[in-house]
Amino acid sequence: MRDFPAGHVQLLPGPLKKRFELNKQYMMSLTNENLLRSFYLEAGLWSYSGNGGTTSATTTSMDGPEHWHWGWESPTCELRGHIMGHWLSAAARIYAQTGDLLVKAKADYIVAELKRCQEANGGEWLAAFPETYMDRIASGKFVWAPHYTIHKLLMGLYEIYAITDNEHAVHLISGIAAWFYRWTGKFSQEQMDDLLDLETGGMLEAWADLYGITGDEKHLELIWRYDRRRFFDALMEGKDVLTNKHANTQIPEILGAARVWEVTGDERYRKIVEAFWATAVTNRGYVATGAGDNGELWMPANEMAARLGVGQEHCCNYNMMRLAQVLLRWTGDPIYADYWERRFMNGVLAHQHGDTGMISYFLGAAAGSKKTWGSPTQHFWCCHGTLMQANASYDSQIFMEEESGITVCQWLPSELHCDHGGSALSIRLEQDGQHGIYPLNNWSVEGMTAITKVSIPSIPVQRPDSFIYKITVKVEQVSTFTLKLRLPWWLKGHPKISVNGVEQAQGVAEASSFFQLTREWLSGDTITIEFSKALTAEPLPGEPGTYAFLDGPIVLAGLTSEERVLSGDPSRPDTMLAPDRERNHGWWNPGYYRTKAVDRGFRFIPLYEVKDESYSIYFPIQTS
């Protein structure tokens, strides 16, 4: 499969577009001065002395410290500058989605200012901290992840170049690469291995991206130098080198290995990626949200009950989604799209505050968990940066291209515009939120129509147990190709699929597979799809009698601050939970339930709707 270039897919108006816009408004609110402040400071292009220095010093400052970025972007924090890279990545993708020239102008200005900083530093070094940080880690002294921070900048610059065609960005990357080529040239293999045991983030991916652009042998040499052999070789030997290790140190390194395989064709790197997925996901298992990590560390394989502490990290969630997309592209196996969906619904959406757009660094799964929200300018955790990227990138995973046609991988309302087989093609994917359920749905014109007009077909009396979609195909000329539809992992029974009102033979259609429609497509052809879902219970790895509840793909959070024991049959969750508050004004509330026959009963809502409430995901179940 192949990704469509950024900008070929746009989100349709609706709940996800609102989340996207919330993220856009936030990232555009961050000022150029604050994003660049530590880069200016390091390059000698700005200084601040407060009220000291001369007898004519002003007693006030409109640009005083109270207006700056703090937390992990503070001028006193060793990780300062990481947000810049995330911001650039988000800006590139938001511009591709919206064509908003204000976003591009802001990004172009920032890149131009970074160029000025690099020139002031001598033409190569570019960071929000001094070169001496690198010398300190080389001498064995601790510095908080300078490689990680520089990778974020390199990734942001790469995406600005690849998506918005800003040539200055790739020149900045080349200058940084020249510095690292010279610096790493001083070390023996053993010394490099020691350096790579520190958190290098996605430096390997950055060098692979750059080599893919330039074909420069020096950039290929940087790939070989940043090959973390101690980790990669152990994976290839089948060892579990993940348990109790820092998850988001390792995932970006594997994304780097994936990119190296793509640009060099060296089969070893593909095998490394496959070995990692087997160790991290297939053999390890995961909790209901898809996470195999807790508190930034990998949990023991299939023994996670004793590790439900602070919860999954957003950075791990996002980077595992990126890796799943890579493997989907390589293999065409829908299990990777299923995994992406689980982590999107119960990770990306659940980590973002639906009103403020802010981030919860961790997402707990233990009894009585609470989300801790960051602030717009006072925290800037690593996950704060991936928040901006993740919520700018919904569009990139929805449609994929193959030689035979187009594949719908994610069921997110959107529209694809592309050329296929030499002809212009558009595919519009809409979701029916009245006859089916629609996660995150809220006020809409469709909802108002449903509750005010009596001359239209009635919506269901009770909350539907299905997701309903409509796909409209428009072609410039009659075209024959295959449209593949992912049948998701949570599908109950067989889907209902019709083309222009004619029901299609289902054959062996089942969950976690693709349904193929090969035909001569005419402009205006319409496909309707109905996926039935069910309330299910999933056991906690390592504690078979404890379960989480899911409504289709949606993990449910019980609004209770303590562990509660339920009684019933896990194979029939409806023995324990009943529909609750199923409709609000003009929309259905998927995932809303209440307990049955329980003293001090409590309610369930989708994990992504939890804001400041205490909640629990897992519940011991007594069976009769």
Side-chain angles (χ1 to χ4, degrees):
M1 293 181 170
R2 296 185 297 274
D3 294 326
F4 283 99
H8 280 58
V9 179
Q10 280 81 41
L11 296 174
L12 295 181
L16 283 182
K17 186 67 176 290
K18 289 178 182 176
R19 287 285 187 110
F20 175 91
E21 290 292 341
L22 189 63
N23 185 56
K24 177 189 172 188
Q25 291 164 14
Y26 168 67
M27 52 124 6
M28 288 296 285
S29 75
L30 301 178
T31 67
N32 299 343
E33 292 78 12
N34 276 327
L35 288 166
L36 287 158
R37 189 176 307 281
S38 290
F39 289 89
Y40 287 150
L41 182 62
E42 179 55 34
L45 299 178
W46 174 85
S47 64
Y48 179 82
S49 301
N51 192 33
T54 70
T55 56
S56 62
T58 179
T59 57
T60 61
S61 173
M62 293 301 292
D63 188 30
E66 67 272 18
H67 301 294
W68 300 353
H69 288 172
W70 291 100
W72 292 10
E73 279 297 299
S74 162
T76 60
C77 178
E78 291 179 332
L79 210 66
R80 63 188 179 271
H82 72 112
I83 286 293
M84 172 63 82
H86 290 294
W87 189 94
L88 289 169
S89 291
R93 295 194 171 276
I94 288 172
Y95 171 67
Q97 264 273 306
T98 65
D100 190 331
L101 294 177
L102 286 176
V103 175
K104 189 173 191 307
K106 185 177 176 76
D108 286 346
Y109 173 80
I110 286 173
V111 170
E113 289 299 283
L114 289 173
K115 181 174 181 289
R116 195 159 69 93
C117 291
Q118 189 178 57
E119 290 169 351
N121 287 330
E124 291 181 350
W125 178 256
L126 178 62
F129 53 81
E131 299 171 59
T132 53
Y133 278 20
M134 306 307 299
D135 296 328
R136 282 166 56 187
I137 61 169
S139 64
K141 297 177 182 177
F142 179 80
V143 181
W144 191 9
H147 270 118
Y148 170 93
T149 307
I150 287 179
H151 161 249
K152 298 306 176 187
L153 178 62
L154 290 169
M155 183 180 186
L157 290 169
Y158 173 76
E159 295 203 303
I160 284 287
Y161 164 75
I163 295 173
T164 75
D165 298 320
N166 186 318
E167 293 285 343
H168 293 302
V170 76
H171 294 312
L172 293 177
I173 299 172
S174 295
I176 297 169
W179 189 95
F180 275 91
Y181 181 82
R182 189 174 63 258
W183 182 70
T184 54
K186 301 183 296 184
F187 305 126
S188 67
Q189 183 61 61
E190 184 176 0
Q191 288 172 317
M192 276 303 301
D193 288 342
D194 288 341
L195 279 171
L196 296 180
D197 277 342
L198 305 174
E199 187 174 4
T200 60
M203 292 294 285
L204 182 61
E205 182 182 13
W207 302 141
D209 282 334
L210 182 59
Y211 178 67
I213 297 169
T214 67
D216 190 318
E217 289 299 313
K218 290 183 177 179
H219 300 154
L220 181 61
E221 177 63 25
L222 279 171
I223 289 175
W224 307 142
R225 292 178 186 178
Y226 276 81
D227 182 314
R228 193 182 175 196
R229 292 165 180 80
R230 290 173 180 169
F231 174 39
F232 292 167
D233 290 350
L235 279 174
M236 295 281 280
E237 292 167 10
K239 297 178 181 177
D240 177 6
V241 283
L242 303 189
T243 300
N244 295 329
K245 300 299 183 183
H246 188 238
N248 204 47
T249 290
Q250 295 170 322
I251 306 166
E253 292 170 329
I254 297 301
L255 286 164
R259 188 67 181 131
V260 174
W261 181 73
E262 291 178 345
V263 299
T264 68
D266 187 330
E267 196 67 24
R268 170 175 172 265
Y269 290 95
R270 176 164 179 153
K271 291 178 180 177
I272 290 167
V273 175
E274 292 167 344
F276 174 84
W277 187 270
T279 304
V281 180
T282 308
N283 301 332
R284 185 167 307 272
Y286 44 75
V287 295
T289 61
D293 65 285
N294 178 80
E296 302 191 14
L297 305 184
W298 292 107
M299 294 184 280
N302 297 303
E303 292 291 336
M304 299 174 179
R307 295 296 184 95
L308 300 185
V310 295
Q312 70 186 38
E313 184 193 23
H314 184 269
C315 289
C316 293
N317 187 78
Y318 176 63
N319 282 323
M320 287 301 290
M321 288 168 64
R322 289 188 63 217
L323 185 59
Q325 181 68 8
V326 168
L327 287 164
L328 173 65
R329 189 170 65 239
W330 290 359
T331 67
D333 191 330
I335 64 166
Y336 299 112
D338 286 343
Y339 180 87
W340 189 98
E341 179 186 47
R342 183 188 285 261
R343 301 210 72 160
F344 173 74
M345 189 74 68
N346 308 297
V348 170
L349 296 181
H351 276 276
Q352 185 193 28
H353 195 293
D355 296 333
T356 67
M358 289 296 97
I359 185 71
S360 176
Y361 190 144
F362 293 111
L363 189 65
S369 293
K370 288 197 78 169
K371 297 179 183 179
T372 299
W373 301 107
S375 61
T377 60
Q378 294 296 308
H379 291 93
F380 287 116
W381 305 311
C382 52
C383 297
H384 198 126
T386 55
L387 164 87
M388 290 192 285
Q389 276 186 270
N391 289 286
S393 306
Y394 304 155
D395 61 295
S396 58
Q397 324 297 326
I398 302 171
F399 298 97
M400 300 282 278
E401 186 175 24
E402 300 182 71
E403 291 299 325
S404 60
I406 309 295
T407 302
V408 178
C409 296
Q410 300 299 334
W411 294 95
L412 308 180
S414 54
E415 189 163 24
L416 165 70
H417 297 275
C418 67
D419 287 324
H420 188 77
S423 176
L425 166 68
S426 74
I427 298 177
R428 185 178 179 89
L429 169 58
E430 300 171 275
Q431 187 164 1
D432 183 343
Q434 295 302 318
H435 298 88
I437 57 172
Y438 192 165
L440 296 172
N441 210 1
N442 209 293
W443 188 94
S444 66
V445 173
E446 292 79 8
M448 285 298 296
T449 300
I451 66 174
T452 57
K453 291 190 175 182
V454 296
S455 59
I456 60 175
S458 296
I459 61 174
V461 174
Q462 306 296 147
R463 181 174 61 200
D465 278 331
S466 61
F467 291 71
I468 298 175
Y469 304 93
K470 182 175 78 170
I471 294 175
T472 304
V473 177
K474 292 185 179 178
V475 290
E476 190 175 45
Q477 57 190 30
V478 175
S479 182
T480 299
F481 62 88
T482 298
L483 184 63
K484 286 171 60 176
L485 311 175
R486 180 177 66 92
L487 308 183
W489 53 280
W490 45 265
L491 175 65
K492 179 184 178 183
H494 293 297
K496 296 179 182 177
I497 300 172
S498 62
V499 178
N500 299 328
V502 179
E503 190 167 338
Q504 303 297 294
Q506 299 304 303
V508 293
E510 57 186 19
S512 294
S513 68
F514 286 113
F515 182 81
Q516 300 191 32
L517 293 168
T518 302
R519 57 182 280 123
E520 187 179 75
W521 296 95
L522 306 176
S523 204
D525 281 347
T526 301
I527 307 104
T528 57
I529 306 105
E530 182 172 349
F531 295 145
S532 294
K533 57 87 182 170
L535 181 66
T536 58
E538 284 190 4
L540 171 61
E543 196 166 294
T546 300
Y547 293 82
F549 296 99
L550 290 88
D551 192 21
I554 304 167
V555 171
L556 306 186
L559 300 183
T560 172
S561 60
E562 60 185 351
E563 182 173 86
R564 301 292 301 276
V565 178
L566 301 178
S567 297
D569 181 356
S571 67
R572 291 188 54 217
D574 60 340
T575 61
M576 293 169 279
L577 303 186
D580 181 60
R581 306 185 189 190
E582 60 180 15
R583 190 164 176 86
N584 185 9
H585 199 260
W587 63 92
W588 299 107
N589 286 320
Y592 277 53
Y593 291 87
R594 57 180 168 78
T595 54
K596 284 183 175 181
V598 173
D599 182 37
R600 295 184 299 117
F602 56 95
R603 299 173 51 236
F604 284 79
I605 64 174
L607 180 59
Y608 58 66
E609 286 198 16
V610 172
K611 294 179 179 132
D612 301 315
E613 306 93 332
S614 295
Y615 68 91
S616 301
I617 291 177
Y618 281 99
F619 298 88
I621 296 179
Q622 293 180 344
T623 57
S624 54

